[in-house]
Short mmCIF file of all heavy atoms in Angstrom, two decimals:
data_model
loop_
_atom_site.label_atom_id
_atom_site.label_comp_id
_atom_site.label_asym_id
_atom_site.label_seq_id
_atom_site.Cartn_x
_atom_site.Cartn_y
_atom_site.Cartn_z
N VAL A 1260 -48.99 -34.11 55.31
CA VAL A 1260 -48.03 -34.69 56.16
C VAL A 1260 -46.69 -34.93 55.46
O VAL A 1260 -46.67 -34.96 54.17
CB VAL A 1260 -48.47 -36.05 56.78
CG1 VAL A 1260 -49.66 -35.85 57.66
CG2 VAL A 1260 -48.83 -36.99 55.67
N ASN A 1261 -45.58 -35.08 56.18
CA ASN A 1261 -44.29 -35.36 55.51
C ASN A 1261 -44.02 -36.87 55.42
O ASN A 1261 -44.92 -37.65 55.59
CB ASN A 1261 -43.17 -34.65 56.30
CG ASN A 1261 -43.19 -35.16 57.80
OD1 ASN A 1261 -43.52 -36.28 58.06
ND2 ASN A 1261 -42.78 -34.26 58.68
N GLN A 1262 -42.78 -37.20 55.09
CA GLN A 1262 -42.50 -38.62 54.72
C GLN A 1262 -42.63 -39.51 56.02
O GLN A 1262 -42.64 -40.72 55.86
CB GLN A 1262 -41.09 -38.72 54.20
CG GLN A 1262 -40.93 -38.10 52.82
CD GLN A 1262 -39.51 -38.26 52.33
OE1 GLN A 1262 -38.59 -38.49 53.06
NE2 GLN A 1262 -39.38 -38.01 51.02
N ASP A 1263 -42.61 -38.95 57.22
CA ASP A 1263 -42.77 -39.79 58.43
C ASP A 1263 -44.03 -40.62 58.37
O ASP A 1263 -44.10 -41.67 58.97
CB ASP A 1263 -42.81 -38.91 59.67
CG ASP A 1263 -41.41 -38.31 59.98
OD1 ASP A 1263 -40.42 -38.83 59.48
OD2 ASP A 1263 -41.37 -37.33 60.76
N SER A 1264 -45.08 -40.13 57.66
CA SER A 1264 -46.33 -40.88 57.60
C SER A 1264 -46.12 -42.26 56.95
O SER A 1264 -46.85 -43.19 57.25
CB SER A 1264 -47.37 -40.09 56.85
OG SER A 1264 -46.96 -39.93 55.46
N VAL A 1265 -45.19 -42.34 56.01
CA VAL A 1265 -44.91 -43.59 55.35
C VAL A 1265 -44.45 -44.64 56.35
O VAL A 1265 -44.83 -45.80 56.41
CB VAL A 1265 -43.87 -43.45 54.21
CG1 VAL A 1265 -43.51 -44.77 53.60
CG2 VAL A 1265 -44.36 -42.53 53.19
N PHE A 1266 -43.47 -44.23 57.25
CA PHE A 1266 -42.98 -45.10 58.22
C PHE A 1266 -44.04 -45.46 59.28
O PHE A 1266 -44.08 -46.61 59.74
CB PHE A 1266 -41.80 -44.45 58.93
CG PHE A 1266 -40.62 -44.21 57.99
CD1 PHE A 1266 -40.36 -42.90 57.51
CD2 PHE A 1266 -39.78 -45.23 57.59
CE1 PHE A 1266 -39.34 -42.70 56.65
CE2 PHE A 1266 -38.77 -44.98 56.74
CZ PHE A 1266 -38.48 -43.71 56.23
N LYS A 1267 -44.85 -44.51 59.61
CA LYS A 1267 -45.96 -44.81 60.56
C LYS A 1267 -46.91 -45.88 59.99
O LYS A 1267 -47.44 -46.71 60.69
CB LYS A 1267 -46.70 -43.56 60.91
CG LYS A 1267 -45.88 -42.55 61.71
CD LYS A 1267 -46.68 -41.31 62.06
CE LYS A 1267 -45.83 -40.30 62.91
NZ LYS A 1267 -46.64 -39.05 63.18
N GLN A 1268 -47.12 -45.69 58.71
CA GLN A 1268 -48.04 -46.73 58.02
C GLN A 1268 -47.44 -48.12 58.14
O GLN A 1268 -48.16 -49.11 58.40
CB GLN A 1268 -48.28 -46.32 56.59
CG GLN A 1268 -49.27 -47.33 55.86
CD GLN A 1268 -49.52 -46.86 54.44
OE1 GLN A 1268 -49.10 -45.81 54.02
NE2 GLN A 1268 -50.15 -47.75 53.66
N VAL A 1269 -46.15 -48.23 57.82
CA VAL A 1269 -45.47 -49.54 57.95
C VAL A 1269 -45.54 -50.09 59.36
O VAL A 1269 -45.80 -51.23 59.58
CB VAL A 1269 -44.00 -49.44 57.50
CG1 VAL A 1269 -43.29 -50.73 57.76
CG2 VAL A 1269 -43.94 -49.02 56.00
N GLU A 1270 -45.28 -49.25 60.30
CA GLU A 1270 -45.31 -49.62 61.76
C GLU A 1270 -46.69 -50.13 62.13
O GLU A 1270 -46.86 -51.13 62.79
CB GLU A 1270 -44.96 -48.44 62.64
CG GLU A 1270 -43.42 -48.15 62.54
CD GLU A 1270 -43.11 -46.87 63.33
OE1 GLU A 1270 -44.04 -46.28 63.87
OE2 GLU A 1270 -41.90 -46.57 63.38
N SER A 1271 -47.74 -49.41 61.61
CA SER A 1271 -49.14 -49.81 61.95
C SER A 1271 -49.47 -51.20 61.33
O SER A 1271 -50.15 -51.96 61.95
CB SER A 1271 -50.10 -48.73 61.48
OG SER A 1271 -50.24 -48.77 60.11
N GLU A 1272 -48.93 -51.46 60.17
CA GLU A 1272 -49.17 -52.77 59.54
C GLU A 1272 -48.51 -53.91 60.31
O GLU A 1272 -49.06 -54.91 60.54
CB GLU A 1272 -48.70 -52.75 58.08
CG GLU A 1272 -49.52 -51.83 57.19
CD GLU A 1272 -48.95 -51.69 55.80
OE1 GLU A 1272 -47.78 -52.24 55.56
OE2 GLU A 1272 -49.56 -51.10 54.93
N ILE A 1273 -47.28 -53.63 60.82
CA ILE A 1273 -46.58 -54.64 61.59
C ILE A 1273 -47.34 -54.92 62.91
O ILE A 1273 -47.54 -56.03 63.32
CB ILE A 1273 -45.14 -54.17 61.89
CG1 ILE A 1273 -44.35 -54.12 60.58
CG2 ILE A 1273 -44.49 -55.14 62.89
CD1 ILE A 1273 -42.96 -53.50 60.72
N LEU A 1274 -47.77 -53.81 63.59
CA LEU A 1274 -48.55 -53.93 64.83
C LEU A 1274 -49.81 -54.72 64.62
O LEU A 1274 -50.20 -55.55 65.38
CB LEU A 1274 -48.87 -52.51 65.34
CG LEU A 1274 -49.68 -52.40 66.62
CD1 LEU A 1274 -49.04 -53.20 67.79
CD2 LEU A 1274 -49.84 -50.99 66.96
N SER A 1275 -50.54 -54.44 63.48
CA SER A 1275 -51.79 -55.09 63.19
C SER A 1275 -51.54 -56.65 63.07
O SER A 1275 -52.36 -57.43 63.53
CB SER A 1275 -52.40 -54.56 61.89
OG SER A 1275 -52.73 -53.22 62.11
N GLU A 1276 -50.46 -56.99 62.33
CA GLU A 1276 -50.14 -58.38 62.12
C GLU A 1276 -49.88 -59.09 63.47
O GLU A 1276 -50.35 -60.22 63.68
CB GLU A 1276 -48.98 -58.52 61.19
CG GLU A 1276 -49.27 -58.11 59.75
CD GLU A 1276 -48.07 -58.17 58.85
OE1 GLU A 1276 -46.93 -58.59 59.36
OE2 GLU A 1276 -48.20 -57.87 57.66
N LYS A 1277 -49.09 -58.43 64.35
CA LYS A 1277 -48.74 -59.06 65.59
C LYS A 1277 -50.04 -59.23 66.44
O LYS A 1277 -50.26 -60.25 67.10
CB LYS A 1277 -47.80 -58.13 66.37
CG LYS A 1277 -46.37 -58.11 65.80
CD LYS A 1277 -45.45 -57.28 66.67
CE LYS A 1277 -44.05 -57.35 66.13
NZ LYS A 1277 -43.09 -56.46 66.92
N LEU A 1278 -50.89 -58.21 66.43
CA LEU A 1278 -52.12 -58.28 67.21
C LEU A 1278 -53.02 -59.34 66.68
O LEU A 1278 -53.64 -60.12 67.47
CB LEU A 1278 -52.83 -56.93 67.19
CG LEU A 1278 -54.21 -56.83 67.89
CD1 LEU A 1278 -54.02 -57.14 69.37
CD2 LEU A 1278 -54.76 -55.46 67.69
N ASP A 1279 -53.08 -59.49 65.37
CA ASP A 1279 -53.96 -60.53 64.78
C ASP A 1279 -53.43 -61.95 65.19
O ASP A 1279 -54.26 -62.84 65.49
CB ASP A 1279 -53.93 -60.39 63.21
CG ASP A 1279 -54.88 -61.35 62.57
OD1 ASP A 1279 -56.12 -61.09 62.70
OD2 ASP A 1279 -54.51 -62.34 61.98
N GLY A 1280 -52.14 -62.10 65.21
CA GLY A 1280 -51.58 -63.41 65.61
C GLY A 1280 -51.93 -63.72 67.08
O GLY A 1280 -52.31 -64.88 67.37
N ILE A 1281 -51.87 -62.73 67.93
CA ILE A 1281 -52.17 -62.99 69.35
C ILE A 1281 -53.68 -63.34 69.47
O ILE A 1281 -54.03 -64.23 70.23
CB ILE A 1281 -51.83 -61.68 70.14
CG1 ILE A 1281 -50.37 -61.44 70.17
CG2 ILE A 1281 -52.38 -61.80 71.62
CD1 ILE A 1281 -49.94 -60.12 70.73
N MET A 1282 -54.52 -62.60 68.74
CA MET A 1282 -55.93 -62.87 68.83
C MET A 1282 -56.32 -64.27 68.38
O MET A 1282 -57.10 -64.96 68.99
CB MET A 1282 -56.75 -61.82 68.01
CG MET A 1282 -56.71 -60.40 68.59
SD MET A 1282 -57.41 -59.19 67.48
CE MET A 1282 -59.11 -59.84 67.32
N ARG A 1283 -55.65 -64.71 67.34
CA ARG A 1283 -55.89 -66.07 66.78
C ARG A 1283 -55.47 -67.15 67.76
O ARG A 1283 -56.14 -68.22 67.85
CB ARG A 1283 -55.21 -66.27 65.44
CG ARG A 1283 -55.78 -65.47 64.29
CD ARG A 1283 -54.98 -65.69 62.99
NE ARG A 1283 -55.52 -64.96 61.91
CZ ARG A 1283 -56.53 -65.29 61.12
NH1 ARG A 1283 -57.15 -66.47 61.35
NH2 ARG A 1283 -56.98 -64.58 60.09
N GLN A 1284 -54.44 -66.87 68.55
CA GLN A 1284 -53.93 -67.85 69.47
C GLN A 1284 -54.78 -67.98 70.72
O GLN A 1284 -54.93 -69.06 71.25
CB GLN A 1284 -52.50 -67.49 69.89
CG GLN A 1284 -51.45 -67.56 68.79
CD GLN A 1284 -50.15 -66.99 69.20
OE1 GLN A 1284 -49.84 -66.75 70.34
NE2 GLN A 1284 -49.29 -66.74 68.20
N CYS A 1285 -55.38 -66.88 71.22
CA CYS A 1285 -56.01 -67.02 72.54
C CYS A 1285 -57.54 -66.82 72.44
O CYS A 1285 -58.20 -66.92 73.51
CB CYS A 1285 -55.45 -65.94 73.48
SG CYS A 1285 -55.78 -64.22 73.01
N LEU A 1286 -58.13 -66.65 71.29
CA LEU A 1286 -59.60 -66.48 71.22
C LEU A 1286 -60.24 -67.58 70.46
O LEU A 1286 -59.59 -68.24 69.63
CB LEU A 1286 -59.90 -65.09 70.52
CG LEU A 1286 -59.40 -63.83 71.15
CD1 LEU A 1286 -59.89 -62.62 70.27
CD2 LEU A 1286 -59.84 -63.65 72.58
N THR A 1287 -61.51 -67.78 70.77
CA THR A 1287 -62.32 -68.75 69.92
C THR A 1287 -62.62 -68.00 68.61
O THR A 1287 -62.45 -66.83 68.48
CB THR A 1287 -63.61 -69.10 70.61
OG1 THR A 1287 -64.44 -67.90 70.75
CG2 THR A 1287 -63.31 -69.67 72.05
N LYS A 1288 -63.09 -68.79 67.62
CA LYS A 1288 -63.40 -68.19 66.37
C LYS A 1288 -64.47 -67.10 66.48
O LYS A 1288 -64.44 -66.08 65.89
CB LYS A 1288 -63.89 -69.27 65.37
CG LYS A 1288 -64.15 -68.71 63.91
CD LYS A 1288 -64.52 -69.74 62.98
CE LYS A 1288 -64.67 -69.21 61.60
NZ LYS A 1288 -65.60 -68.07 61.49
N ARG A 1289 -65.47 -67.40 67.34
CA ARG A 1289 -66.60 -66.42 67.52
C ARG A 1289 -66.06 -65.12 68.16
O ARG A 1289 -66.42 -64.02 67.75
CB ARG A 1289 -67.73 -67.01 68.34
CG ARG A 1289 -68.77 -65.99 68.82
CD ARG A 1289 -70.10 -66.60 69.12
NE ARG A 1289 -70.81 -66.88 67.88
CZ ARG A 1289 -72.10 -67.17 67.85
NH1 ARG A 1289 -72.80 -67.32 69.00
NH2 ARG A 1289 -72.75 -67.43 66.71
N GLU A 1290 -65.23 -65.28 69.16
CA GLU A 1290 -64.65 -64.11 69.88
C GLU A 1290 -63.79 -63.30 68.89
O GLU A 1290 -63.91 -62.09 68.78
CB GLU A 1290 -63.82 -64.53 71.05
CG GLU A 1290 -64.61 -65.13 72.21
CD GLU A 1290 -63.77 -65.76 73.25
OE1 GLU A 1290 -62.55 -66.15 72.91
OE2 GLU A 1290 -64.20 -65.97 74.37
N TYR A 1291 -63.02 -64.00 68.07
CA TYR A 1291 -62.13 -63.39 67.06
C TYR A 1291 -62.97 -62.56 66.07
O TYR A 1291 -62.68 -61.41 65.79
CB TYR A 1291 -61.25 -64.42 66.41
CG TYR A 1291 -60.45 -63.96 65.25
CD1 TYR A 1291 -59.21 -63.33 65.50
CD2 TYR A 1291 -60.83 -64.07 63.93
CE1 TYR A 1291 -58.43 -62.92 64.48
CE2 TYR A 1291 -60.02 -63.67 62.91
CZ TYR A 1291 -58.83 -63.03 63.18
OH TYR A 1291 -58.03 -62.57 62.11
N ASP A 1292 -63.99 -63.20 65.53
CA ASP A 1292 -64.79 -62.56 64.52
C ASP A 1292 -65.55 -61.33 65.08
O ASP A 1292 -65.62 -60.31 64.47
CB ASP A 1292 -65.84 -63.54 63.99
CG ASP A 1292 -65.24 -64.63 63.12
OD1 ASP A 1292 -64.05 -64.47 62.68
OD2 ASP A 1292 -65.86 -65.68 62.93
N ILE A 1293 -66.01 -61.43 66.31
CA ILE A 1293 -66.77 -60.35 66.91
C ILE A 1293 -65.83 -59.16 67.16
O ILE A 1293 -66.20 -57.99 66.86
CB ILE A 1293 -67.42 -60.80 68.22
CG1 ILE A 1293 -68.67 -61.67 67.90
CG2 ILE A 1293 -67.85 -59.57 69.07
CD1 ILE A 1293 -69.35 -62.30 69.10
N LEU A 1294 -64.64 -59.34 67.65
CA LEU A 1294 -63.71 -58.23 67.94
C LEU A 1294 -63.33 -57.59 66.63
O LEU A 1294 -63.17 -56.35 66.57
CB LEU A 1294 -62.48 -58.73 68.68
CG LEU A 1294 -62.72 -59.09 70.16
CD1 LEU A 1294 -61.37 -59.28 70.85
CD2 LEU A 1294 -63.51 -58.03 70.89
N ARG A 1295 -63.06 -58.34 65.57
CA ARG A 1295 -62.72 -57.78 64.26
C ARG A 1295 -63.85 -56.93 63.74
O ARG A 1295 -63.64 -55.82 63.13
CB ARG A 1295 -62.37 -58.86 63.27
CG ARG A 1295 -60.99 -59.45 63.45
CD ARG A 1295 -60.75 -60.70 62.60
NE ARG A 1295 -60.81 -60.39 61.18
CZ ARG A 1295 -59.81 -59.94 60.45
NH1 ARG A 1295 -58.66 -59.72 61.04
NH2 ARG A 1295 -59.92 -59.74 59.17
N MET A 1296 -65.08 -57.33 63.91
CA MET A 1296 -66.23 -56.60 63.46
C MET A 1296 -66.46 -55.32 64.33
O MET A 1296 -66.68 -54.25 63.84
CB MET A 1296 -67.51 -57.46 63.55
CG MET A 1296 -67.51 -58.58 62.59
SD MET A 1296 -68.96 -59.71 62.73
CE MET A 1296 -70.28 -58.60 62.22
N ARG A 1297 -66.27 -55.46 65.66
CA ARG A 1297 -66.56 -54.37 66.54
C ARG A 1297 -65.58 -53.20 66.38
O ARG A 1297 -65.90 -52.07 66.49
CB ARG A 1297 -66.57 -54.84 68.00
CG ARG A 1297 -67.74 -55.60 68.39
CD ARG A 1297 -68.95 -54.65 68.68
NE ARG A 1297 -68.67 -53.85 69.81
CZ ARG A 1297 -68.52 -52.51 69.85
NH1 ARG A 1297 -68.61 -51.88 68.70
NH2 ARG A 1297 -68.27 -51.90 70.96
N TYR A 1298 -64.27 -53.56 66.10
CA TYR A 1298 -63.24 -52.58 66.14
C TYR A 1298 -62.65 -52.26 64.73
O TYR A 1298 -61.71 -51.54 64.55
CB TYR A 1298 -62.10 -52.98 67.07
CG TYR A 1298 -62.57 -52.88 68.48
CD1 TYR A 1298 -63.07 -54.03 69.10
CD2 TYR A 1298 -62.58 -51.72 69.20
CE1 TYR A 1298 -63.55 -53.98 70.41
CE2 TYR A 1298 -63.05 -51.65 70.53
CZ TYR A 1298 -63.57 -52.80 71.12
OH TYR A 1298 -64.06 -52.76 72.44
N GLY A 1299 -63.28 -52.85 63.70
CA GLY A 1299 -62.82 -52.48 62.33
C GLY A 1299 -61.40 -53.03 62.04
O GLY A 1299 -60.67 -52.35 61.31
N LEU A 1300 -61.07 -54.11 62.68
CA LEU A 1300 -59.70 -54.65 62.43
C LEU A 1300 -59.60 -55.38 61.08
O LEU A 1300 -60.58 -55.88 60.59
CB LEU A 1300 -59.29 -55.63 63.56
CG LEU A 1300 -59.30 -55.02 64.95
CD1 LEU A 1300 -59.07 -56.06 66.03
CD2 LEU A 1300 -58.36 -53.88 65.09
N GLY A 1301 -58.42 -55.43 60.51
CA GLY A 1301 -58.20 -56.06 59.27
C GLY A 1301 -58.75 -55.30 58.02
O GLY A 1301 -59.03 -55.87 57.02
N GLY A 1302 -58.91 -53.94 58.23
CA GLY A 1302 -59.35 -53.11 57.15
C GLY A 1302 -60.82 -53.08 56.93
O GLY A 1302 -61.30 -52.41 55.96
N ARG A 1303 -61.62 -53.76 57.74
CA ARG A 1303 -63.06 -53.77 57.58
C ARG A 1303 -63.68 -52.63 58.38
O ARG A 1303 -63.07 -52.05 59.29
CB ARG A 1303 -63.68 -55.09 58.05
CG ARG A 1303 -63.54 -55.34 59.58
CD ARG A 1303 -64.28 -56.60 59.94
NE ARG A 1303 -63.68 -57.76 59.29
CZ ARG A 1303 -64.32 -58.94 59.27
NH1 ARG A 1303 -65.51 -59.09 59.74
NH2 ARG A 1303 -63.74 -59.98 58.74
N PRO A 1304 -64.96 -52.25 58.06
CA PRO A 1304 -65.57 -51.16 58.84
C PRO A 1304 -65.89 -51.60 60.29
O PRO A 1304 -66.15 -52.86 60.50
CB PRO A 1304 -66.86 -50.89 58.03
CG PRO A 1304 -67.14 -52.18 57.34
CD PRO A 1304 -65.80 -52.71 57.00
N ALA A 1305 -65.89 -50.69 61.22
CA ALA A 1305 -66.23 -51.00 62.57
C ALA A 1305 -67.75 -50.94 62.76
O ALA A 1305 -68.36 -50.03 62.27
CB ALA A 1305 -65.55 -50.10 63.53
N TYR A 1306 -68.35 -51.90 63.46
CA TYR A 1306 -69.78 -51.94 63.67
C TYR A 1306 -70.08 -51.74 65.16
O TYR A 1306 -69.31 -52.12 66.03
CB TYR A 1306 -70.37 -53.28 63.24
CG TYR A 1306 -70.25 -53.56 61.77
CD1 TYR A 1306 -69.53 -54.68 61.28
CD2 TYR A 1306 -70.88 -52.75 60.85
CE1 TYR A 1306 -69.47 -54.95 59.92
CE2 TYR A 1306 -70.78 -52.99 59.45
CZ TYR A 1306 -70.06 -54.10 59.03
OH TYR A 1306 -69.94 -54.34 57.72
N THR A 1307 -71.25 -51.16 65.40
CA THR A 1307 -71.71 -51.03 66.83
C THR A 1307 -72.07 -52.42 67.35
O THR A 1307 -72.18 -53.39 66.55
CB THR A 1307 -72.98 -50.11 66.92
OG1 THR A 1307 -74.04 -50.78 66.19
CG2 THR A 1307 -72.67 -48.75 66.35
#
């Protein structure tokens, strides 16, 4: 890939931070933890 991938990576990090903030605001701790595990958010592996 060309240099555009660098910008896409930065955009994805910003998007992840915004999404994490929204999740923390409207979910319970258990709901938050389960969604992070299920979808591999925050750099962790995704689980069934």
Side-chain angles (χ1 to χ4, degrees):
V1260 296
N1261 56 32
Q1262 292 181 344
D1263 288 343
S1264 63
V1265 176
F1266 297 102
K1267 289 180 180 178
Q1268 181 178 351
V1269 173
E1270 289 174 356
S1271 72
E1272 290 174 354
I1273 295 172
L1274 177 58
S1275 297
E1276 290 177 1
K1277 289 182 178 179
L1278 178 59
D1279 187 73
I1281 293 168
M1282 289 172 63
R1283 289 180 182 275
Q1284 291 171 17
C1285 66
L1286 300 181
T1287 66
K1288 184 179 185 304
R1289 169 157 283 191
E1290 291 169 340
Y1291 175 81
D1292 290 341
I1293 286 176
L1294 288 190
R1295 283 171 62 87
M1296 293 174 68
R1297 285 283 293 116
Y1298 292 93
L1300 301 176
R1303 67 174 63 196
Y1306 295 119
T1307 64

